[in-house]
Amino acid sequence: MVRVLDITDPADPRLDDFRDLNSSDRRPDLPEGKGLVIAEGVLVAQRLLHSRFRATALLGVDRRLSELQDDLDAVDVPFYRTTADVMAAVVGFHLNRGVLAAAARPPALELDDVLAGARTVAVLEGVNDHENLGSMFRNAAGLGVDAVLFGGACADPLYRRAVRVSMGHVLRVPFASVPDWPRGLSRLRDRGFQLISLTPNPSAVPLAEAMTGDKVAVLLGAEGPGLTEHAMRATDIRARIPMAPGTDSLNVATAAAMAFYERVRV
Amino acid sequence: MVRVLDITDPADPRLDDFRDLNSSDRRPDLPEGKGLVIAEGVLVAQRLLHSRFRATALLGVDRRLSELQDDLDAVDVPFYRTTADVMAAVVGFHLNRGVLAAAARPPALELDDVLAGARTVAVLEGVNDHENLGSMFRNAAGLGVDAVLFGGACADPLYRRAVRVSMGHVLRVPFASVPDWPRGLSRLRDRGFQLISLTPNPSAVPLAEAMTGDKVAVLLGAEGPGLTEHAMRATDIRARIPMAPGTDSLNVATAAAMAFYERVRV
């Protein structure tokens, strides 16, 4: 049962987890990140409350408390109720969504655990843009992808902006790191995954022809540099999205969505 | 031949077209917008210089002038060369990309002209988010869509942010308004276009089954409200992207990309 606590002083130390969100250093440049996970808005807070993440506190206005009442019935957590002005003073900027939930980071999932039962996974290398990461998880959730895996040089999927852009789906779609990158991809092959590199290279096979496996892992690199040759060599096939002449690559989350869509389209 | 003019005073009236870009009212809420078109960065400026849009002036630092030299050979236009600090004082914020190009709006294209020879078009209703509009044009360009058409209640595709997010593709992909919305869709049907509404409704036909026409027009509404029933009734078939249970809709530009991808995948 949620405990509602009214707050009037922005300096109240009980709100420290929500303080100066823009400037708190959470190492968003590392896939494992650090610090608390922050969910913004009713929808994302709901997804947090029904996820493997354990909420530690919520901060919000009374109207949002009402909207979340059903979701908060089963959790033992404080809801710091206050005004929009106090919230703005605490977090350091004006927040349209009226509610924040904080959660501790659970232990990272093991690769073998997220692969068990999976049929479609995305494997990311060098994806260090939080919006792209967030969109990737939103698309993965919408199109039924079972897991997102991190190869080298990715950013923190649990950074606030990634959580927001994903609409909370980073809290639902399982993710894990591939150790010993890219050699660790052999653990996917051992489990029967077809490993597909997505590349704009015109000599690659069209995506629709390449994706023949019952279990598929699609590798995606950042916009611009793309996948490293090192990573592509560790895969079974290089595939491309048929692009119009004279255009550059699609956004990486959009390109990923084409691959995910191939798995569900019929 | 470009004329290079060195500027040291941010108050120089020759720079008025680039002044206070964040606050200048350009009616970005209307599809026809108003005011100048602003391209940011070398890549987008290049696309502007090679488009139907007529550049009136560029403002940038010396390094960007060098990078654009080949593209500027054929145009008779002033390049106001200055420092990053003067640029920031003029436009009202710090600009990472180092160059801006301004262009007048050419007369709107006629629907019949953009439809001539087209095989795949997107038709938008209520898409009033500039980032989504920009992404839509980027995806349309990348996947070979011939034109984007505006039904009711869309925003200005030539607003600065839409131009930037599209990576300049709003300057290349032809667009026009559908008059007398949605009745004017009959003009597409008269030309042999299959009219397909995209909807998250589970009772709709999967997209891959629905898209059977040689000429296809895909109708898309804004995230959240989606297409109006009024618009959907004016189409031939309602199609859906197969979504995972318990997830909401995809971003509208991503959903559009799935439909565009269906046209090029094999």
Side-chain angles (χ1 to χ4, degrees), chain B residues 139-150:
Chain B
N139 295 345
L143 296 163
V145 169
D146 300 300
V148 175
L149 306 179
F150 292 102

Side-chain angles (χ1 to χ4, degrees), chain A residues 44 101 157 233 236:
Chain A
V44 181
R233 282 204 185 133
D236 301 312

